[in-house]
Amino acid sequence: MIIALHGAEFFAFHGFYPEEQKLGNWFVVDIDVEFTPTANISDDDLNNSVNYEQLYDIACEEMKLTKKLIETVAQAIIDEIKNQYTFVDRIQVRVKKMNPLVGAKTKYSSVTVQYPANAINA
């Protein structure tokens, strides 16, 4: 089973350059979490699943902690998901930086981090 949260938007201050950390930017986060249910999903019990509202909260908290690299942000989100949901098999987090400072008009840059490595092909 895969629970996904896509298109979560955050204004944050991640960036390698000091001006990025001062001015901030918009980021979009996509999360996919795969697991094998250990109980009957027909029981309609959220405790038998991954709560996508909690995935949003995890991303929100990590986005508040300024980092130089969006790779580091994505890994921190994965680490916290693993901490809160020890039963997950695979996690993929994509962080997009909108309008990055690259000297040209660019819609976004992105990084995708997976647990375990190369786990989900999305």
Side-chain angles (χ1 to χ4, degrees):
M1 175 172 293
I2 297 175
I3 302 292
L5 179 71
H6 289 177
E9 296 182 10
F10 302 94
F11 190 85
F13 298 89
H14 308 299
F16 181 77
Y17 299 105
E19 60 267 26
E20 292 179 295
Q21 292 188 6
K22 183 178 180 181
L23 298 173
N25 202 343
W26 283 99
F27 296 82
V28 176
V29 176
D30 299 328
I31 302 170
D32 293 276
V33 178
E34 185 174 340
F35 66 99
T36 302
T38 57
N40 190 344
I41 293 300
S42 299
D43 290 345
D44 204 25
D45 185 350
L46 188 55
N47 292 319
N48 299 336
S49 189
V50 173
N51 183 341
Y52 55 79
E53 182 179 6
Q54 186 62 32
L55 295 179
Y56 176 86
D57 291 342
I58 291 168
C60 186
E61 289 305 309
E62 294 302 332
M63 292 301 289
K64 291 177 185 177
L65 305 174
T66 301
K67 306 275 195 241
K68 289 182 181 178
L69 303 177
I70 56 176
E71 295 91 320
T72 307
V73 177
Q75 186 62 56
I77 293 169
I78 285 176
D79 291 344
E80 188 56 30
I81 293 169
K82 288 185 336 187
N83 184 49
Q84 292 190 29
Y85 294 100
T86 58
F87 58 87
V88 300
D89 300 316
R90 296 178 180 90
I91 306 167
Q92 177 173 283
V93 174
R94 177 174 292 119
V95 178
K96 299 175 186 174
K97 179 188 276 187
M98 308 311 290
N99 303 304
L101 297 175
V102 295
K105 182 172 172 53
T106 305
K107 187 172 183 178
Y108 65 86
S109 61
S110 72
V111 63
T112 302
V113 179
Q114 300 171 335
Y115 163 80
N118 300 317
I120 300 174
N121 296 320

